Amino acid sequence: MIFVEPAFYGDFNGGSGQIDVVESDQKALALFNEINSSFSSGVKTPVSDDIRVDLTVGARQRLRAFGKNNCELSGQMVECSGGVNVVRVSESLTIPMLPELQPIEP
């Protein structure tokens, strides 16, 4: 289980959440099995243990303090994308996949 939490705590500290890695891998295996049933070549290499999580503070904020199109959002991590200020954060993690959830035979 991966827990995603705010980097700091305050009035506008963002959100938190979690990702159930095993559940995600089970869903992915079901999808791979569905795909493999219609193709003869199938999956030839194991799925990577690397997970990438991308988070974006986007245009539609409920808090009016951000201003229209996030015009009040500022700082080194803020970039303008299509006239809207956004913050994008990416993080990569290595979490070994359970062998029984790999879409290929060991």
Side-chain angles (χ1 to χ4, degrees):
M1 188 86 58
I2 299 172
F3 293 96
V4 181
E5 296 181 349
F8 62 91
Y9 293 90
D11 292 340
F12 305 113
N13 62 339
S16 62
Q18 61 187 23
I19 300 169
D20 187 327
V21 179
V22 173
E23 181 181 334
S24 297
D25 289 346
Q26 289 170 335
K27 288 180 182 179
L29 178 60
L31 180 59
F32 277 124
N33 289 337
E34 182 181 323
I35 292 169
N36 283 341
S37 66
S38 61
F39 295 103
S40 61
S41 60
V43 177
K44 296 293 184 188
T45 59
V47 173
S48 172
D49 291 333
D50 295 329
I51 295 175
R52 180 180 168 127
V53 179
D54 296 310
L55 303 170
T56 302
V57 174
R60 297 192 176 155
Q61 294 297 321
R62 294 181 187 173
L63 299 173
R64 294 189 185 270
F66 284 100
K68 185 176 180 179
N69 296 329
N70 292 344
C71 66
E72 298 298 328
L73 190 61
S74 62
Q76 293 181 340
M77 297 176 68
V78 176
E79 61 184 70
C80 186
S81 176
V84 177
N85 287 346
V86 297
V87 174
R88 290 187 180 99
V89 178
S90 296
E91 189 65 43
S92 293
L93 308 161
T94 300
I95 301 175
M97 179 179 268
L98 296 173
E100 62 269 20
L101 295 178
Q102 281 286 352
I104 62 170
E105 296 296 323

